[in-house]
Amino acid sequence: MTLPPAQQKELERAVALLESPRFAIRLANIAGKPLDSILGAVPGLNGALHGVLRNAILRCLTVAIESQDAEAFAPSSWRPKTLTGLSGGIGGMFGALALPVELPFTMTLMLRAIADIARHNGEDLRALEPRLACLQVFALGDRKSDAGAAVSYYAARTTLIKLTGDVMASLVERTALDASAPVVTRLVTEVVSRFGLVLSERAAAGAIPLLGALGGATLNVMFMDHFERVAQAHFTLRWLERVYGSEVIAELYRVAAGGAGVRSLPALSG
C-alpha cells in the first residue's frame, strides 16, 4: 500500500524526527566535544538520579490519570517552554541540589506541551488512553539511529501499550493512582529505564564548560524541544495508524527508515 502524497510526507517527517541524532549527540555538537565527554562528565550519574526521576514520572502519571477535566491539558503554545526555561535557569543556580524540585516541575510542563501536540494530531484527551500515550513519549526519547531503529521504536511501543493497558485495567473501579501497585511499578520502571539515559545526558551536559555557560535555561529549552520532536513523530504515527491501520504504517515506517533485513514488525493495538 502507498499513502497519498501529503500523508507520505507526514510519515517521512516522523521517521526523520525519530531517526535524527540523539539528544547527547546534539549537545556534544554544540559543545564541540565528543559524545563520551558528555556521558563521562559525571560518573555514576544514573544511580544518583534514579529516585528523583522515579518521583517525577510518578507525578506525571498521576497528572495523566487524575486530570478528568481539561485544565491540566489546556492548550498553551508558549507557556510550557517559557516556564521550563525559567525553571532551568533558577535550578541552574543551585546545581544538582535543585533537581528533586526542578525535574518534576519541568516534566509536568513538558507533559502539557506533549498533550498539546497530541490534541493537534486528533487525540481525544478526555479519554485516559491518549493521556497515557502522552506519558509514553518520555520512554521514546532515547532512540538510537541504527539498522534496527524501526523495530526498536515499535517494540518499545508494544511494551508500553501492554503496561499502560494493565494500569488502565487496574483503574476500572478507581480514579486515584496507587503508586505501590505492581502494574504501576512496572510501567514507571520501564519509563525510568528508557528516560534515564536522556536525563543523565542533560544533567551531565551542565558539567561541560560551554554548555554550563549557556545556563540551565538553555539546556531545559533544548530538553523540551527534544521531546516535542519525539511527541510530534509519535502522534503523527498514531494518527496515520488510526486512518490506515497500524500494520500498514509500521511496514511503511520500516521502508522509509531503510531498515534493511527487518522482516516483520509487531502489530499495535493502541
Side-chain angles (χ1 to χ4, degrees), residues 68-103:
Q68 300 298 332
D69 54 35
E71 181 179 354
F73 289 109
S76 175
S77 59
W78 61 269
R79 186 165 57 181
K81 187 169 289 187
T82 301
L83 292 178
T84 297
L86 289 174
S87 70
I90 295 172
M93 293 188 297
F94 299 95
L97 294 176
L99 203 60
V101 175
E102 187 261 323
L103 182 63

Side-chain angles (χ1 to χ4, degrees), residues 28 65 76-77 79 83 113 119-120 123 137 196 219 251 255 263:
I65 288 174
S76 175
S77 59
R79 186 165 57 181
L83 292 178
R119 183 185 293 102
H120 180 74
E123 302 282 354
V137 170
L219 285 174
E251 176 63 18
V255 172
R263 298 183 179 179

Side-chain angles (χ1 to χ4, degrees), residues 189-256:
T189 299
E190 181 71 17
V191 177
V192 167
S193 68
R194 296 176 180 275
F195 184 76
L197 176 61
V198 182
L199 177 61
S200 66
E201 291 163 354
R202 167 189 174 270
I208 296 178
L210 178 57
L211 287 176
L214 291 175
T218 300
L219 285 174
N220 261 19
V221 170
M222 290 182 64
F223 198 47
M224 170 78 84
D225 179 71
H226 172 75
F227 280 98
E228 284 182 334
R229 290 167 181 257
V230 175
Q232 183 60 57
H234 178 52
F235 287 106
T236 293
L237 292 172
R238 280 174 58 97
W239 164 61
L240 291 171
E241 288 165 0
R242 289 194 297 272
V243 177
Y244 299 103
S246 60
E247 292 185 359
V248 169
I249 298 304
E251 176 63 18
L252 292 176
Y253 183 102
R254 181 193 67 81
V255 172

Side-chain angles (χ1 to χ4, degrees), residues 5-186:
Q7 282 70 40
Q8 180 65 28
K9 184 177 180 180
E10 290 290 335
L11 173 68
E12 291 173 357
R13 182 171 182 267
V15 171
L17 289 172
L18 287 170
E19 302 304 323
S20 60
R22 286 171 43 219
F23 184 66
I25 298 176
R26 295 171 62 198
L27 288 174
N29 288 340
I30 291 177
K33 292 181 177 289
L35 179 62
D36 56 6
S37 294
I38 287 180
L39 296 182
V42 183
L45 188 62
N46 280 331
L49 291 178
H50 187 276
V52 174
L53 177 54
R54 180 179 176 81
N55 289 337
I57 295 295
L58 276 171
R59 176 174 174 177
C60 287
L61 181 57
T62 301
V63 169
I65 288 174
E66 297 183 356
S67 299
Q68 300 298 332
D69 54 35
E71 181 179 354
F73 289 109
S76 175
S77 59
W78 61 269
R79 186 165 57 181
K81 187 169 289 187
T82 301
L83 292 178
T84 297
L86 289 174
S87 70
I90 295 172
M93 293 188 297
F94 299 95
L97 294 176
L99 203 60
V101 175
E102 187 261 323
L103 182 63
F105 179 70
T106 294
M107 289 186 63
T108 302
L109 291 172
M110 289 170 62
L111 185 64
R112 179 190 291 269
I114 290 168
D116 288 345
I117 293 171
R119 183 185 293 102
H120 180 74
N121 283 277
E123 302 282 354
D124 182 3
L125 296 180
R126 293 173 298 181
L128 178 58
E129 192 277 334
R131 298 202 300 269
L132 291 179
C134 293
L135 184 72
Q136 293 173 10
V137 170
F138 292 124
L140 298 171
D142 68 337
R143 308 271 292 105
K144 294 182 179 180
S145 184
D146 55 35
V151 170
S152 298
Y153 170 73
Y154 277 96
R157 276 191 56 193
T158 299
T159 299
L160 292 167
I161 287 169
K162 171 64 168 62
L163 293 172
T164 54
D166 291 344
V167 170
M168 290 172 63
S170 73
L171 291 169
V172 171
E173 298 181 355
R174 70 185 76 174
T175 58
L177 177 69
D178 180 2
S180 64
V183 291
V184 173
T185 298
R186 287 195 294 270

